[in-house]
Amino acid sequence: MLKGESDQEMAEEDPDGVSDEDRTACTHLPFILEVLEKEKTTWRVLLKQGLRKHCACSSAWARELFLGFFPILRWLPRYQPKEWLLGDVMSGVIVGILLVPQSIAYSLLAGQDPIYGLYTSFFAGIIYMLLGTSRHISVGIFGVLCLLVGQVVDRELAVAGYLTDDNPNTTAVFDDVTMRPSCDRSCYAIVVGATVTFTAGVYQVLMALLQVKYLLGLKLPRAQGPGSLIKTWILLIRNISQTNVCDLLTSLLCLLVLIPAKELNERFKAKLRAPIPFELFVVTAATLASHFGRFQERFSSDVAGEIPTGFMPAQLPAWSLIPNVALDAISVAIVGFVITVSLSEMFAKKHGYSVDANQEMYAIGFCNILSSFFRCFTTSAALTKTLVKESTGCHTQLSALVTAVVLLLVLLVIAPLFYSLQKCVLAVIIVVNLRGALCKFADVPHMWRMNHVDATIWLVTMATSALVNTELGLVVGVLVSALCVLGRTQRVPAIRLGQAGCSELYEDLASYKGLQTQPGVAVFRYVAPIYYANQALFKRALYRAVGLNPVVEKARLKKQEKRERKQKVPPRREAEPSNAFLPKWTLFHTIVLDCAPVLFLDTAGVGALKEVAKDYGGLGVRLLLARCSMSVLDSLRRGGYLDPEAEGNKMVFFTIGDAIHYGQSLASQNGSCDTEC
């Protein structure tokens, strides 16, 4: 039964001419708020309605489905060249220029040759332009995904029998079922990367290792398995005497240029129409210096090597590798999707339009599936490039087409010119672009002061990712976060509330001064859902806050009655109120539980409330619930808590004041309390 009493005064005069006296009298009249009965629909009817809605075949339905799958067909006919074209072209060109050095550099993280980074950026942008709903995000290479893919590539290269980086062209010995015998290390690496990308894309449609060895010019085997970061640093220390001085000096010089340049771009980003492409300048200068200085021949510097022009023939993923990479692809798919949808929604909200998260899943999934046939690795939205697109006036995904044209020019003409580019320069670009992540360590003390739990989750995730591997770090981070949420619901106290003056505001007695308690009524609040994992803790917390455990009290009363019977003491009258047995400091007849913070109840939670009401009812104490949400009310109804035929008179009120008034009025009628209501 849902019951309420209005105790609010109307602030404005009624336009219908009701007098103040009538209005005052009306505000004190009790009322019952009846729940609107919803029409019950069987599952067969719901199934038929769903099938009729989603499977109805008509020209309008087919057209809407086609346009929904290809959002470009919606915005392209409404394109406004005068207002948008200049911004799209400018942003596309600038992003394309920035993508060239970054695509080549991040290929190292994914364990691939530089050409495949250019392929990835080219195809991903075009496919997302056709399928994506965001107008601003730039889809391409993302550092975390490159690390995830690179770990899988390294593992599969070792399993297949390929040797270390000292002999990159060595052909492994394995049968035709796994791969063609003529496939060298570079070829097999992109086959593995493309297979991971294909599998991750399928998952999405269905639902940095610091490169110090390149900075120093060292040729070290890539560490495998848990603790790869520690193994890499051990190998680095052991081989430090073999540092290539030319690569080391080049790395230091590039760092001295790029770090201040990045800070300059950041400092004047409000005044600059577009960031200055210092990375491209550094790559160009380093390539010219290495070529004319003949660094490879004279100093044995490790260079990018031959980068072919044009495109290689399409090829299918290695189906036999899918069982090996299926689990790894799950984390790749989830990270890529979360990053893409988060950035899409963030920029859509900023610019006042909406994106379809489901279509974004399709878009990024097909970006990975289709591009995997063209020797590409996994992509997602990239924050840095997206910020550049937005700041340079991007209006639509037509800018992605302009970016693709820039990359196409590089692939067809310019790519071979990067033959002499030292890999240490690419490593410097990676380190500089990841400096923001490295600077997060300086924020740990601030994070700890703000929230110990969040800081702990960050530290555990970071440590696991660095000391074991990235995939396990992500899993551990999610599990620790879930356990922390679960733990917060396990340690919630029941708070005793007091009333602020004559208002309907009830707050924690231990936190605020001047709050008043109600005679004969104790008001409590439980700030957590009540479900199977914490229902026992809820009862324990409430009993502790009330100061009376009804189960223990009943046991005490039974023992007392047994002693009285043995001593032949006259039994108490049955009509005598049970709370006469209670300690003097617990003389109350009603407990009101504020359920506003209770987000949901499950079957165990409803059962816990029934037990509390029954146990306290046996001692003459009434339990009343107040301010329940509709979901909680539905759970109470389905669980039989509000059943009129159930034991006890269980009631739910819409305000705490209504519950208090009701409890006091019943106590006054029964003569169990001397309170004047």
Side-chain angles (χ1 to χ4, degrees), residues 87-108:
D88 286 343
V89 171
M90 184 176 179
S91 63
V93 171
I94 294 172
V95 171
I97 293 173
L98 294 175
L99 272 177
V100 173
Q102 292 185 10
S103 299
I104 296 174
Y106 278 95
S107 300
L108 295 179

Side-chain angles (χ1 to χ4, degrees), residues 36-232:
L36 180 64
E37 293 293 337
K38 299 179 181 179
E39 183 180 356
K40 296 183 179 180
T41 308
T42 63
W43 66 270
R44 293 185 178 86
V45 175
L46 292 175
L47 180 60
K48 290 180 180 179
Q49 292 175 350
L51 292 175
R52 191 180 300 115
K53 178 180 178 181
H54 296 286
C55 299
C57 295
S58 65
S59 58
W61 176 84
R63 180 178 181 275
E64 188 67 22
L65 180 64
F66 186 76
L67 293 178
F69 195 75
F70 294 98
I72 187 175
L73 299 179
R74 293 185 184 273
W75 60 261
L76 190 58
R78 298 194 297 267
Y79 192 80
Q80 303 175 22
K82 293 183 179 180
E83 290 82 6
W84 298 347
L85 185 59
L86 180 61
D88 286 343
V89 171
M90 184 176 179
S91 63
V93 171
I94 294 172
V95 171
I97 293 173
L98 294 175
L99 272 177
V100 173
Q102 292 185 10
S103 299
I104 296 174
Y106 278 95
S107 300
L108 295 179
L109 289 181
Q112 308 295 338
D113 287 348
I115 187 64
Y116 301 123
L118 295 173
Y119 285 168
T120 301
S121 297
F122 175 80
F123 286 106
I126 293 180
I127 297 171
Y128 185 82
M129 179 188 69
L130 300 175
L131 302 177
T133 58
S134 174
R135 304 174 190 173
H136 295 89
I137 68 169
S138 175
V139 174
I141 297 176
F142 182 57
V144 175
L145 293 181
C146 290
L147 283 172
L148 293 173
V149 173
Q151 290 180 350
V152 181
V153 170
D154 294 340
R155 185 191 68 210
E156 293 304 317
L157 285 175
V159 171
Y162 287 95
L163 302 182
T164 65
D165 291 343
D166 294 325
N167 296 295
N169 295 319
T170 301
T171 302
V173 179
F174 46 86
D175 57 19
D176 294 338
V177 176
T178 307
M179 185 54 57
R180 295 182 299 275
S182 59
C183 187
D184 61 12
R185 185 182 188 280
S186 173
C187 169
Y188 192 70
I190 190 57
V191 167
V192 175
T195 304
V196 174
T197 299
F198 175 83
T199 310
V202 171
Y203 286 152
Q204 289 166 331
V205 170
L206 298 177
M207 69 169 223
L209 179 64
L210 192 62
Q211 302 290 312
V212 179
K213 68 175 186 179
Y214 291 110
L215 295 177
L216 303 180
L218 297 176
K219 295 183 178 180
L220 305 177
R222 297 187 70 151
Q224 303 292 324
S228 57
L229 179 63
I230 298 176
K231 295 176 183 177
T232 300

Side-chain angles (χ1 to χ4, degrees), residues 102-404:
Q102 292 185 10
S103 299
I104 296 174
Y106 278 95
S107 300
L108 295 179
L109 289 181
Q112 308 295 338
D113 287 348
I115 187 64
Y116 301 123
L118 295 173
Y119 285 168
T120 301
S121 297
F122 175 80
F123 286 106
I126 293 180
I127 297 171
Y128 185 82
M129 179 188 69
L130 300 175
L131 302 177
T133 58
S134 174
R135 304 174 190 173
H136 295 89
I137 68 169
S138 175
V139 174
I141 297 176
F142 182 57
V144 175
L145 293 181
C146 290
L147 283 172
L148 293 173
V149 173
Q151 290 180 350
V152 181
V153 170
D154 294 340
R155 185 191 68 210
E156 293 304 317
L157 285 175
V159 171
Y162 287 95
L163 302 182
T164 65
D165 291 343
D166 294 325
N167 296 295
N169 295 319
T170 301
T171 302
V173 179
F174 46 86
D175 57 19
D176 294 338
V177 176
T178 307
M179 185 54 57
R180 295 182 299 275
S182 59
C183 187
D184 61 12
R185 185 182 188 280
S186 173
C187 169
Y188 192 70
I190 190 57
V191 167
V192 175
T195 304
V196 174
T197 299
F198 175 83
T199 310
V202 171
Y203 286 152
Q204 289 166 331
V205 170
L206 298 177
M207 69 169 223
L209 179 64
L210 192 62
Q211 302 290 312
V212 179
K213 68 175 186 179
Y214 291 110
L215 295 177
L216 303 180
L218 297 176
K219 295 183 178 180
L220 305 177
R222 297 187 70 151
Q224 303 292 324
S228 57
L229 179 63
I230 298 176
K231 295 176 183 177
T232 300
W233 279 98
I234 292 175
L235 289 171
L236 177 68
I237 295 172
R238 288 178 179 175
N239 294 271
I240 196 70
S241 60
Q242 302 175 21
T243 297
N244 188 302
V245 178
C246 178
D247 286 345
L248 176 60
L249 294 177
T250 303
S251 300
L252 293 176
L253 184 60
C254 292
L255 283 171
L256 291 175
V257 173
L258 284 179
I259 291 179
K262 286 287 187 179
E263 295 298 329
L264 187 67
N265 271 337
E266 184 68 23
R267 187 165 197 168
F268 295 100
K269 64 181 180 181
K271 297 181 180 180
L272 293 173
R273 177 68 174 172
I276 302 172
F278 288 107
E279 292 173 346
L280 185 62
F281 298 157
V282 168
V283 167
T284 303
T287 302
L288 292 173
S290 176
H291 175 74
F292 291 106
R294 296 185 296 124
F295 290 171
Q296 185 183 24
E297 295 82 1
R298 295 170 58 190
F299 307 110
S300 301
S301 292
D302 195 9
V303 297
E306 182 181 356
I307 303 178
T309 58
F311 297 94
M312 298 181 185
Q315 69 174 14
L316 294 174
W319 308 117
S320 59
L321 282 176
I322 290 180
N324 297 351
V325 302
L327 291 178
D328 304 285
I330 294 176
S331 58
V332 173
I334 293 174
V335 172
F337 169 68
V338 170
I339 292 295
T340 302
V341 172
S342 299
L343 289 180
S344 299
E345 293 181 343
M346 181 176 70
F347 284 94
K349 182 178 180 181
K350 182 177 180 180
H351 292 275
Y353 64 93
S354 61
V355 294
D356 185 349
N358 196 49
Q359 181 61 28
E360 288 297 298
M361 183 182 289
Y362 281 123
I364 198 64
F366 279 106
C367 278
N368 289 322
I369 291 175
L370 298 178
S371 63
S372 68
F373 296 106
F374 299 96
R375 294 176 170 83
C376 300
F377 48 89
T378 314
T379 59
S380 72
L383 178 60
T384 305
K385 272 83 76 179
T386 301
L387 290 172
V388 171
K389 284 184 67 172
E390 184 208 25
S391 64
T392 51
C394 171
H395 294 282
T396 67
Q397 282 296 331
L398 189 66
S399 61
L401 182 62
V402 179
T403 301

Side-chain angles (χ1 to χ4, degrees), residues 25 60 87 190 242 285 287 368-369 422-424 435 517 540 544 634 654 658 674 677:
I190 190 57
Q242 302 175 21
T287 302
N368 289 322
I369 291 175
Q422 294 167 272
K423 287 187 177 181
C424 64
R435 76 193 191 286
T517 59
R540 191 183 308 163
R544 186 185 302 116
D634 289 340
F654 288 99
D658 293 342
D674 295 332
C677 298

